[in-house]
Amino acid sequence: MLRLTRLSSASAFLSSRSSLVRQDKLLIPLISQHNPPYQCSSTRFLDIYQLGNKAAIEKERARLTDEMSRGYFADMSEMKKHGGKIAMANKIIIPAISAVKFPALEVTYSHGTSLKLPSMCSGKDSDADVPRASLLCLSFRASSEPMIHSWSVPFVDSFKDSNKVHLYEISFIDSWLLSRNPMKKLLLRVMRKPKPNGREDVLQRQITYSFGDHYEFRKELKVLNLLTGYIFLLDKFGRIRWQGFGSATQEEMSSLLSCTSMLLQEE
């Protein structure tokens, strides 16, 4: 009789657990539908120890609501209206006193080496290697890569001989599966690109990838539409001094180059 009671309790627990899983699976496709498989956010589950944590449950519920309100169709509708130009770029440099710091981000090169961004002055001798200006080009979906190139290619051509400027093209991969070894290593190997032929410029386009859950990162930068590109110009203290969106216009490119030159002259 005791054994029958235990089996009944276990069955009830598994049934309720299965119900939770089914509900979660119904929610996730609404968030990531139509996104490329290697870039879709993975199915999220609260850890077992958090099931009784009311604050954790409320936080997850708020996240699901937020992400569902900005799904693929909302992003696509916005893209059709302005082609990814969700806002115009800054015309002048943002004053240092009102500039905010770029959130910490770990990126990985295709050869496996990791790097923490942004590079900032720390008051030590190693600051000699810190760039005076860094351009960070963020791509959350493959559709925004041509937009990123419209900024990065002219930028490299203008500052190719400067060792005080860095350029990073960062692709974000949210998939839980692709963020785990050995899948991560395999993906990085596939993504390796040949070095530019015949170019020995000091400034190079550094192609990097960031794996894992980036919800809090996107929230801090107010990144809403994942189909467009985001461009940030940082100073040597990691502060955002200029920002652009979508594809570059000639006027916006001139503004970016001018602001970068100003950062190179700042003390």
Side-chain angles (χ1 to χ4, degrees):
M1 187 65 180
L2 179 59
R3 184 178 181 182
L4 182 60
T5 303
R6 288 177 177 173
L7 288 173
S8 178
S9 300
S11 177
F13 171 77
L14 291 174
S15 178
S16 62
R17 179 72 173 173
S18 176
S19 176
L20 286 174
V21 171
R22 285 198 299 271
Q23 292 176 14
D24 198 35
K25 286 184 177 179
L26 286 173
L27 288 173
I28 295 304
L30 294 175
I31 301 172
S32 57
Q33 58 184 328
H34 297 283
N35 288 334
Y38 62 90
Q39 290 175 322
C40 292
S41 297
S42 59
T43 304
R44 293 175 50 80
F45 297 99
L46 285 174
D47 296 331
I48 294 178
Y49 73 90
Q50 289 184 327
L51 289 176
N53 187 331
K54 186 176 180 180
I57 293 175
E58 289 298 326
K59 184 177 180 180
E60 189 69 9
R61 184 177 299 166
R63 170 181 176 143
L64 287 173
T65 301
D66 180 36
E67 290 189 330
M68 283 191 293
S69 67
R70 286 297 308 186
Y72 173 83
F73 290 112
D75 287 353
M76 199 63 199
S77 176
E78 198 172 64
M79 288 288 290
K80 289 180 179 179
K81 292 179 181 178
H82 48 58
K85 189 66 70 176
I86 59 177
M88 297 305 295
N90 296 104
K91 291 186 177 181
I92 60 174
I93 196 168
I94 299 173
I97 192 171
S98 57
V100 298
K101 284 192 175 183
F102 190 88
L105 179 68
E106 183 173 337
V107 299
T108 306
Y109 293 96
S110 59
H111 52 71
T113 303
S114 295
L115 174 70
K116 289 185 178 181
L117 296 175
S119 300
M120 299 183 294
C121 288
S122 59
K124 300 179 180 179
D125 295 338
S126 58
D127 286 349
D129 298 326
V130 175
R132 288 183 173 270
S134 299
L135 189 69
L136 274 56
C137 305
L138 314 186
S139 176
F140 294 90
R141 297 292 182 265
S143 59
S144 63
E145 289 186 3
M147 304 178 191
I148 296 301
H149 294 164
S150 71
W151 298 95
S152 62
V153 174
F155 188 83
V156 169
D157 289 339
S158 298
F159 296 100
K160 59 185 178 183
D161 297 323
S162 176
N163 61 355
K164 294 298 182 180
V165 179
H166 284 185
L167 168 63
Y168 300 92
E169 293 184 14
I170 308 171
S171 296
F172 290 81
I173 300 174
D174 294 326
S175 169
W176 178 87
L177 177 62
L178 295 180
S179 299
R180 297 293 177 270
N181 290 324
M183 293 300 294
K184 178 179 176 180
K185 291 183 179 179
L186 179 61
L187 178 63
L188 289 173
R189 184 179 303 173
V190 172
M191 299 301 287
R192 287 180 186 174
K193 297 180 180 180
K195 295 182 178 180
N197 295 327
R199 296 199 62 164
E200 298 294 336
D201 299 336
V202 176
L203 175 61
Q204 297 286 339
R205 291 167 52 208
Q206 301 188 56
I207 312 299
T208 63
Y209 305 88
S210 182
F211 293 84
D213 180 17
H214 300 101
Y215 175 73
E216 294 298 334
F217 173 83
R218 299 198 313 263
K219 190 175 180 180
E220 190 169 349
L221 283 177
K222 297 180 175 59
V223 171
L224 297 178
N225 194 316
L226 301 184
L227 300 180
T228 191
Y230 295 82
I231 316 298
F232 296 91
L233 178 65
L234 313 184
D235 62 16
K236 61 182 179 181
F237 297 105
R239 298 172 299 196
I240 301 173
R241 305 295 299 277
W242 184 95
Q243 183 176 0
F245 309 89
S247 298
T249 66
Q250 185 174 356
E251 182 182 358
E252 289 176 325
M253 198 67 223
S254 296
S255 172
L256 171 60
L257 299 180
S258 175
C259 290
T260 304
S261 297
M262 292 178 67
L263 289 183
L264 294 177
Q265 297 173 7
E266 280 189 355
E267 293 297 331

